[in-house]
């Protein structure tokens, strides 16, 4: 199958699964929030945020490590089974280690500090931890399914796990009034019950007898820096709101948050592409040893063009979108939304610009660059927020994403260079800049059809000029 068609098909399936689960979560959220008290709902959010952070630590980057080695040049089918088996069993023990330490720590804290007033019991705490563990194991299996190029199996497991979890939690809270304990308990049970079916889907790559200490050690050595890069990314992605609140007003936080929610539509597309791309990338190198570097460069141009076209549409019509959906109270969100749309172009490009770092197993660079970017983002926010408010935070986010992508690209070109048509890329970036400037100059606080037609013409011109820059012919024989 042509690589572009495969990426498009797989992206659509992965994105579709994510979209449907998000829609269900969106519609169940108001009922759960209404059934719980504000205090209980606040505790639930804190629990889920904390266990998500625990998940990052317990994962040890094993998912990333398996994806790196699975389709490597010298990896046979037998070795793939060793890699997957070793990775999953290692993850089983790291997750249980974190669960045990966390539960023990909370019990000790309760004993010494007499913590009271929580709207959940030890049962709820245990359920939350098991939910985190089951989610980590399920996600590992889903990543292996992607490596096997079985998107429909991915869809079945993903939808079964997420949808049943959401509905079971809703039933426990709304119908049975069991509160946080019931919600977390039901979701943990669903996730754990789905695991046997998920394991059956990867049975050709999993066997207890194939667990290898050598591979467990190598996977951990490759993956553990992702813990620190994920922590830095978490700080980097959340500090703009905290700094807006402390430097300006909570209103500016609301303006920025609305902008980011709309821009996240493009982030959703970027994430869907990433799920399709990661298993394909290494296989392209294995199947095309003489020209894979050129393919990577061509995919980068194609990705930038695709995301930029979406960002251009969002930027040009940001005023109309905000006016139509949110009303005039949020019109200040339009300009930050335009900036954030193009920020996601830089964020999406990291899936290609960082590939040389991964191929050369220098994953510590991901952690180093992520922490540096967190510092850079703090500096940009410190300087820009007092001047521009929410718009300054959006500019800081865009510049930080650009800085991180350029950092990845620098080290990729240093250690494992990819071949890029710089002329095409620079023309494409220049066209992005023109569209962004025009979107600022043509902001509308109402629906004006003449303006809409003109903006559609600008967007069509960008797509038309950009299309001629794409190396479509280079993909036909891949």
């Amino acid at each position: 199958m042509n690589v572009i068609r495969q990426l498009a098909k797989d992206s659509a399936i992965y994105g579709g699964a994510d979209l449907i689960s998000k829609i269900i979560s969106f519609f169940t959220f108001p009922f759960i929030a209404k059934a719980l008290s504000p205090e209980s709902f606040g505790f639930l959010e804190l629990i889920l945020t904390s266990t998500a952070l625990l998940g990052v630590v317990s994962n040890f980057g094993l998912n990333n490590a398996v994806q790196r080695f699975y389709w490597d040049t010298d990896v046979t089918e037998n070795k793939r089974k060793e890699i997957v088996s070793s990775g999953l069993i290692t993850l089983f023990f790291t997750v249980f280690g974190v669960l045990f330490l966390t539960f023990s720590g909370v019990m000790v804290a309760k004993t010494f500090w007499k913590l009271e007033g929580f709207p959940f019991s030890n049962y709820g705490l245990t359920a939350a931890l098991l939910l985190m563990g089951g989610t980590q194991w399920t996600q590992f299996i889903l990543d292996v399914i992607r490596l096997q190029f079985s998107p429909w199996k991915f869809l079945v497991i993903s939808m079964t796990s997420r949808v049943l979890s959401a509905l079971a939690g809703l039933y426990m809270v709304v119908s049975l009034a069991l509160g946080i304990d019931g919600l977390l308990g039901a979701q943990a049970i669903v996730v754990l019950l789905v695991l046997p079916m998920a394991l059956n889907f990867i049975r050709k790559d999993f066997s207890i007898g194939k667990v290898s200490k050598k591979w467990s050690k190598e996977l951990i050595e490759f993956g553990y820096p992702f813990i620190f890069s994920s922590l830095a990314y978490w700080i980097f992605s959340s500090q703009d709101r905290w700094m807006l609140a402390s430097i300006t007003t909570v209103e500016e936080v609301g303006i920025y948050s609305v902008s980011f929610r709309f821009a996240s539509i493009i982030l959703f597309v970027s994430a869907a592409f990433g799920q399709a791309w990661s298993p394909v990338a290494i296989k392209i190198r294995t199947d095309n040893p003489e020209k894979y570097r050129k393919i990577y460069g061509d995919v980068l141009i194609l990705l930038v063009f695709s995301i930029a076209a979406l960002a251009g549409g969002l930027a040009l019509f940001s005023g109309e979108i905000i006016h139509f959906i949110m009303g005039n109270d949020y019109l200040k969100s339009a300009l930050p939304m335009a900036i954030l749309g193009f920020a996601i172009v830089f964020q999406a490009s990291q899936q290609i610009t960082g590939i040389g770092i991964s191929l050369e197993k220098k994953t510590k660079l991901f952690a180093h660059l992520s922490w540096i970017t967190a510092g850079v983002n703090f500096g940009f926010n410190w300087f820009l927020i007092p001047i521009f408010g929410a718009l300054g935070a959006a500019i800081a986010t865009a510049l930080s994403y650009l800085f991180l992508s350029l950092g990845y690209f620098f080290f990729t070109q240093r250690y494992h260079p990819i071949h890029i048509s710089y002329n095409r890329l620079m023309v494409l970036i220049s066209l992005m800049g023109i569209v962004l400037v025009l979107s600022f100059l043509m902001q509308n606080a109402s629906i004006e059809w003449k303006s809409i037609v003109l903006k559609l013409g600008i967007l069509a011109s960008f797509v038309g000029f950009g299309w001629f820059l794409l190396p479509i012919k280079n993909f036909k024989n891949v």
Side-chain angles (χ1 to χ4, degrees), residues 28 48 52 67 70 78 81 125 147 154 176 211 227 261 275 282 307 333 345 348 377 386 401 404 411 440 448 466:
T28 57
L48 296 177
Q67 290 178 56
Y70 188 91
N78 188 57
K81 184 173 285 191
L125 174 63
L147 289 168
F154 180 98
L176 301 184
V211 175
I227 297 175
R261 287 294 179 93
Q275 288 184 313
I282 303 299
I307 304 297
S333 297
V345 177
N377 182 253
Y401 278 140
L404 185 58
F411 285 104
F440 269 59
E448 297 179 8

Side-chain angles (χ1 to χ4, degrees), residues 1-9 299 302 472 475 478:
M1 179 184 289
N2 179 277
V3 67
I4 300 303
R5 285 200 299 272
Q6 180 168 336
L7 284 171
K9 178 180 73 84
V299 171
L302 177 62
I472 299 296
F475 290 109
V478 178

